[in-house]
Amino acid sequence: MNPVLSDSADELAGTEKVLSFFREQLLSGALKVGDRLLGERELCLALGVSRPVLREALRSLANLGFLDIRHGKGAFVRKADVGVFGDFLTFCLAQQPDMLDDIMQARVAIECQAIRLACIRATDSDLSRIGGLLTRLMDTLHNAEDGGAADFAFHMAIVEASRSPALVTVYRSISDLLKRSHVQRRAETSDAPGITDYLVEAHREVFLSILARDPDKADRMLREHFAIGDELRRKSYIAAFTRKGAPQEEEKEADS
């Protein structure tokens, strides 16, 4: 075997050992935020890796925001930065075809579970916040950029009201893509007949179902909201292509 390739494979295997160890320690609860890792010598002996491999792996974990390396003091577990996770997901998902449609499906899955939990767990403060964002949403109906941002904030508040750290973390991690989706959908449906009334009524019904603490109704209202939104967007596509084709048809008739 090529010695260079062998060394490279050994380094990758060593790095994986370090990462697996760190992951397992966190999952088992043996390591918590603020804890100091074992010293380099102890870790190298325990994992069977060289100091250069260990240091490179620890630097990678520090770059990802999982460790705080303090010179002369050691490496300490850090609270993970969701923004890093979000950047990673954004880079991965942005390369996929029909990315925004796929994100929409993920959004439906997260929000429908979140709203059920929100009906049970939302505090008075959560409900007040969602209500305030509903007002903001209604004040920005005629602006795709501001309206899309307000729409996102309303739905984000519902997810936060679920009081589920996992759902909130995943939702926040794709927030940039979700905001883009909201703005795009607003722009695409801005000329749809009755869009303003629909946006007001749909979001109001969703909010009222949370106030009523009715998970089944809230889930149903939210799914209807998504389904009608998709239908309005489909109709706007048809109308746009029809308008584009109209002049061509008129020219053909004139030529004949």
Side-chain angles (χ1 to χ4, degrees):
M1 179 184 287
N2 187 318
V4 175
L5 293 177
S6 178
D7 290 344
S8 178
D10 289 342
E11 287 178 9
L12 286 173
T15 299
E16 182 55 37
K17 279 186 182 180
V18 178
L19 297 180
S20 293
F21 170 78
F22 184 69
R23 183 167 56 244
E24 290 304 317
Q25 291 284 294
L26 287 174
L27 288 172
S28 68
L31 279 178
K32 297 181 178 62
V33 173
D35 286 351
R36 180 182 180 277
L37 268 62
L38 293 172
E40 283 188 1
R41 185 171 179 277
E42 292 90 342
L43 280 174
C44 287
L45 288 172
L47 300 174
V49 298
S50 65
R51 286 202 173 190
V53 168
L54 176 67
R55 288 173 179 170
E56 186 60 34
L58 295 183
R59 272 196 294 270
S60 296
L61 289 169
N63 289 335
L64 289 170
F66 299 138
L67 288 180
D68 180 14
I69 298 177
R70 305 173 193 170
H71 295 294
K73 294 185 178 180
F76 296 79
V77 180
R78 240 178 112 180
K79 185 177 176 66
D81 181 1
V82 176
V84 175
F85 180 41
D87 288 341
F88 176 77
L89 278 180
T90 299
F91 287 134
C92 291
L93 295 173
Q95 300 174 39
Q96 297 182 11
D98 301 320
M99 177 264 297
L100 290 181
D101 285 336
D102 190 39
I103 284 294
M104 186 62 195
Q105 296 309 312
R107 178 188 164 198
V108 171
I110 295 169
E111 285 192 38
C112 286
Q113 177 59 19
I115 201 169
R116 298 186 73 89
L117 294 175
C119 287
I120 300 167
R121 301 176 179 178
T123 64
D124 289 344
S125 177
D126 291 328
L127 296 175
S128 177
R129 182 160 177 261
I130 297 170
L133 289 168
L134 175 60
T135 300
R136 178 180 159 198
L137 187 151
M138 290 189 288
D139 290 339
T140 55
L141 290 171
H142 302 291
N143 184 297
E145 196 73 33
D146 293 342
D151 208 331
F152 167 77
F154 176 85
H155 288 271
M156 179 78 246
I158 292 174
V159 176
E160 290 173 338
S162 74
R163 300 285 165 175
S164 167
L167 291 178
V168 172
T169 297
V170 174
Y171 201 81
R172 282 180 180 162
S173 71
I174 55 175
S175 61
D176 286 344
L177 297 174
L178 289 172
K179 289 174 188 174
R180 184 182 293 269
S181 173
H182 276 285
V183 172
Q184 178 178 308
R185 290 168 74 85
R186 282 295 187 94
E188 290 171 347
T189 59
S190 61
D191 295 330
I195 184 64
T196 301
D197 292 339
Y198 156 71
L199 286 170
V200 172
E201 191 59 26
H203 288 90
R204 181 188 287 126
E205 286 297 321
V206 167
F207 179 49
L208 289 175
S209 65
I210 300 173
L211 286 178
R213 304 285 186 179
D214 188 337
D216 290 338
K217 183 178 179 181
D219 188 325
R220 186 172 67 256
M221 290 294 99
L222 192 58
R223 289 182 187 277
E224 286 180 8
H225 168 41
F226 290 139
I228 294 172
D230 285 341
E231 180 63 15
L232 284 172
R233 189 167 65 139
R234 186 185 69 82
K235 288 180 178 178
S236 71
Y237 283 159
I238 294 173
F241 281 112
T242 300
R243 286 195 298 271
K244 287 179 181 178
Q248 295 176 2
E249 293 299 325
E250 291 173 2
E251 288 177 7
K252 288 179 181 177
E253 291 177 5
D255 291 341
S256 61

